[in-house]
Amino acid sequence: MPEKLHITALEEHVVLPVLLDAWKRAGVPQIPQLGYGDEPLAQRLRDVGDRRLADMDDQGVDVAVLSLATPGVQNLAAADAVSVAREANDTLAEAVRAHPQRFQALAVIPTPSPEAAAAELERAVTQLGLRGAMLYGRTGDKPADAPEFDDLYATAERLRVPLHFHPQTPVQAVQEAYYSGLPHGVGPMLATAGLGWYYDLGVQYLRMIFSGVFDRHPDLQVIAGHWGEVVLFYLDHIGILQNAAKLQRPLADYFRQNFWVAGSGTVSERYLRWTAEVVGTDRMLYSTDYPYTFGTRPGGFPFLDTSGGVARSFLEQAPFTQEEKAAIGSGNWEKLTGHIAAATNSTNVDSRAADDR
């Protein structure tokens, strides 16, 4: 029998008390999807202990890479973003230390203060051992390719850590123009988890490419969830812009050399096979988008529920070799971030040796 797959799941969301307080002060809606209240979804978002571990076992996930729910601190005032990010990263590191075999984490980055953003990434990786960072596309109205974020991208490139981008709600003008006037409840959902999130972030990726972010930082590594945020399905068409943008490489090459792609809990074999064809299984990672795709089968809809062992069975039954499945499950992630774990373990050994002396 083949060896059991080891599954490390990215994009596993948490909401911490410091973030709930900051969002409340900023006027963010206090809804279960952001961790407020006593509904099961909100409770799962706030849990970094026994309940989450039990749900991971139910899914068949070995390791969860924790990250803040969208939009993190990116829509806070600069001063609040810096202090909240620092406290949140300390708390995430504590959660990892409490369950080092089950948890890893991506750092919170205060992009409203670009200078502090680069410094906090450095601290989170080199001092706390976090495996990279989670970003959320825009910072307020500033796109991800704004020049003030170049230091952050240079720092990630130097540290050799990935930046995982997660969508956030489109700006208000886009919501009103494209998603208003629909039947009750449909517009807001279509603007976010239905479709709008993915278009919004896919455009951010293309802006980063066309404005030269990856030409200035050719070794920068970005993780795209939701099977590439729509863009992968249109690369053959969008590529017509590469000459106008004076790109140094064909458009598709950026996705095969600077991007890693995960499915974010959308268990669709069609998307899986398309992603493998476009970027290759050696650029694919795994994620479940917990808890947003845990026990969620409205009307029996089959593609957005990773509970009941589906997270594991979806990968085990994928049309790939065992070696490819193992790479997607955790091997590619270790190749991408394993040096952080090695450096952290070395530091801990040196620290214990110093204490013994």
Side-chain angles (χ1 to χ4, degrees):
M1 291 184 63
E3 186 176 348
K4 181 181 177 182
L5 293 175
H6 186 83
I7 295 180
T8 298
L10 317 181
E11 199 182 326
E12 312 307 294
H13 303 288
V14 297
V15 176
L16 305 174
V18 64
L19 185 64
L20 290 172
D21 292 342
W23 279 348
K24 185 175 181 180
R25 292 194 303 271
V28 170
Q30 297 175 49
I31 56 177
Q33 291 82 356
L34 293 178
Y36 294 97
D38 293 325
E39 293 191 16
L41 175 63
Q43 293 180 11
R44 285 188 164 99
L45 278 168
R46 299 193 301 264
D47 188 283
V48 289
D50 291 343
R51 182 168 192 166
R52 184 174 294 260
L53 292 169
D55 287 348
M56 289 166 58
D57 292 340
D58 175 88
Q59 293 172 301
V61 168
D62 297 296
V63 177
V65 183
L66 308 176
S67 60
L68 289 195
T70 186
V73 302
Q74 286 187 229
N75 287 343
L76 299 179
D80 282 345
V82 173
S83 61
V84 172
R86 190 175 182 89
E87 182 173 341
N89 287 332
D90 289 342
T91 303
L92 288 170
E94 290 173 5
V96 173
R97 285 194 294 270
H99 300 283
Q101 303 305 313
R102 304 301 306 273
F103 291 156
Q104 298 171 19
L106 293 171
V108 186
I109 302 300
T111 56
S113 175
E115 303 82 4
E120 183 59 20
L121 177 63
E122 181 106 27
R123 185 186 81 92
V125 171
T126 62
Q127 297 183 30
L128 301 180
L130 304 190
R131 294 279 186 119
M134 177 69 82
L135 300 176
Y136 306 88
R138 292 173 289 104
T139 297
D141 292 335
K142 290 182 180 178
D145 62 296
E148 52 262 55
F149 301 132
D150 253 22
D151 285 348
L152 173 62
Y153 298 146
T155 300
E157 184 181 34
R158 174 172 52 82
L159 295 173
R160 295 186 294 126
V161 295
L163 301 178
H164 193 325
F165 281 75
H166 187 282
Q168 60 168 294
T169 304
V171 296
Q172 190 62 37
V174 171
Q175 294 182 58
E176 292 173 358
Y178 290 98
Y179 303 110
S180 62
L182 293 169
H184 178 70
V186 172
M189 282 296 294
L190 187 62
T192 54
L195 184 66
W197 269 355
Y198 320 122
Y199 276 111
D200 190 83
L201 186 52
V203 169
Q204 299 295 314
Y205 292 153
L206 292 172
R207 288 188 61 97
M208 291 174 72
I209 294 170
F210 290 141
S211 61
V213 169
F214 296 102
D215 291 337
R216 296 191 297 277
H217 308 289
D219 293 324
L220 176 64
Q221 300 297 303
V222 165
I223 300 171
H226 306 101
W227 300 116
E229 312 294 1
V230 180
V231 177
L232 290 191
F233 299 96
Y234 287 93
L235 278 183
D236 291 345
H237 188 98
I238 304 168
I240 196 172
L241 299 174
Q242 63 194 37
N243 290 334
K246 296 181 172 58
L247 296 181
Q248 295 180 8
R249 294 174 268 159
L251 178 62
D253 284 5
Y254 292 88
F255 285 90
R256 295 179 182 128
Q257 297 170 18
N258 297 100
F259 281 78
W260 304 71
V261 181
S264 304
T266 305
V267 286
S268 164
E269 187 180 312
R270 282 179 297 196
Y271 295 171
L272 180 80
R273 286 187 279 106
W274 182 268
T275 302
E277 180 178 331
V278 175
V279 300
T281 56
D282 59 344
R283 302 293 296 189
M284 293 169 66
L285 303 169
Y286 208 70
S287 62
T288 78
D289 205 14
Y290 177 90
Y292 298 109
T293 60
F294 187 90
T296 52
R297 289 202 178 205
F301 191 75
F303 299 114
L304 292 176
D305 188 356
T306 61
S307 65
V310 171
R312 174 168 292 276
S313 63
F314 177 65
L315 181 58
E316 287 179 336
Q317 296 167 14
F320 304 135
T321 67
Q322 193 67 16
E323 291 75 16
E324 289 171 325
K325 295 175 188 178
I328 295 168
S330 62
N332 291 339
W333 176 248
E334 289 307 314
K335 181 171 65 175
L336 182 60
T337 69
H339 64 286
I340 302 300
T344 302
N345 292 337
S346 176
T347 299
N348 291 338
V349 168
D350 291 345
S351 177
R352 287 194 295 270
D355 290 342
D356 291 341
R357 290 196 296 270

